[in-house]
Amino acid sequence: MPIKNRFAELLPEITAWRRDLHEHPEILFETHRTAGIVAEKLRAFGCDEVVEGIGRTGVVGLIRGQGAGPVIGLRADMDALPILEATGLDHASKTAGAMHACGHDGHTAMLLGAAKYLAETRNFDGTVALIFQPAEEGGGGGREMVADGMMERFAIEEVYGMHNWPGIPLGQFAIRPGPFFAATDQFRITLAGKGGHAAKPHETCDPTVMGAQLVLALQTVVSRNCDPVEQMVVSVTSFETASTAYNVIPPSVTLKGTVRTLKDAPRDLAEERIREIAAGIAATFGGTAGIEYERNYPVMVNTAEETDFAAEVARKVAGDCAEAPLIMGGEDFAYLLQERPGAYILVGNGDSAPVHHPEYDFNDEAIPAGCSWWAGIVEARLGRSPG
Ligand SMILES: [Zn+2]
Ligand SMILES: [Zn+2]
């Protein structure tokens, strides 16, 4: 099962779909045009069922094989990012301020390509559920599709996902069992004191000084509280004051940031310590801390057996499958993997700009490998029973 010839034949067509999606990026749940194209193509390929509007703008297509068997879910994401594209390519975004900078255009096109092949050949027993989700980039589109009852409605038993990865050789694969992508939590801390004239600091309770202390103190959650053999990131990413003047001490400042962890215990620890440190620093300087701490995507955990299987299929397609590094980014496929066993794999995008960069572009030459992996997952997992 190396690259399937059919995908080499389909490459120009799939590339054209991909570039059209790239020209028309849509953000979060606003993937109306994309979802419409996906549903229209799935129907044209002869899918047995196509359901739109799952998890708001998600789409699920079903392809039934020749005999009875399990139902497996294959998932692609459809959404773009609020980035101004700087590639200068012919197929660059036509929507200023929106860009497929994470390659979800490529993911959608590859799963459509696999769907076309699977609907043509149906060389399997069981059912394939093709899952196209909105809002992977922070909106929890996968969570919404799960909450909408997708797993039960289509009786999905296992799930698989794939993401292109710059830096991995083009068309090669990498995967790891267990925790793979991090939990992504976020905090917003408002430090309140007393504003006033900058020349009379003694009459104020200066929240900018509290904030400066707090940014540094939060660094100790990773360096002094977290077990050094665990992974944790605490980043303060925003520091805003209510004053824009040179000579006014503001009454409050607001800090925002993100926390990344790969297990529950460090995740709980980080929240507890951030709350304690913020309250403690504020109290030290005579102010108060208002803390909003939001737990967003959970840790994405690949199950062992399905990871081995996914790696085996990748080896058949590409000759090898590397061990992927831990990634402190988040991935809302985590919600699907909380519900069902499954695996998520990386496919090499070669030596490109990194994802979320204004010069990034999905490499269309990865399409045959990605499509062959999808088709391989189906034909190996839902192999035709003899006779
Ligand atoms: Zn992304
Ligand atoms: Zn992505």
Side-chain angles (χ1 to χ4, degrees), residues 322-342:
E323 181 179 300
L326 291 167
I327 291 166
M328 299 309 281
E331 170 50 79
D332 94 341
F333 189 66
Y335 290 103
L336 281 72
L337 284 173
Q338 278 189 330
E339 298 291 315
R340 298 291 185 269

Side-chain angles (χ1 to χ4, degrees), residues 282-369:
T284 299
F285 293 93
T288 58
I291 304 162
E292 292 165 41
Y293 195 98
E294 186 189 338
R295 293 198 176 206
N296 201 10
Y297 295 175
V299 181
M300 192 191 79
V301 183
N302 273 348
T303 51
E305 201 177 308
E306 287 71 22
T307 302
D308 285 348
F309 166 66
E312 189 54 38
V313 172
R315 274 190 285 273
K316 285 181 179 154
V317 172
D320 193 17
C321 183
E323 181 179 300
L326 291 167
I327 291 166
M328 299 309 281
E331 170 50 79
D332 94 341
F333 189 66
Y335 290 103
L336 281 72
L337 284 173
Q338 278 189 330
E339 298 291 315
R340 298 291 185 269
Y344 182 90
I345 200 164
L346 305 179
V347 62
N349 201 52
D351 187 20
S352 72
V355 291
H356 294 211
H357 188 283
E359 287 169 6
Y360 166 87
D361 191 31
F362 178 81
N363 191 329
D364 295 307
E365 298 301 318
I367 288 172

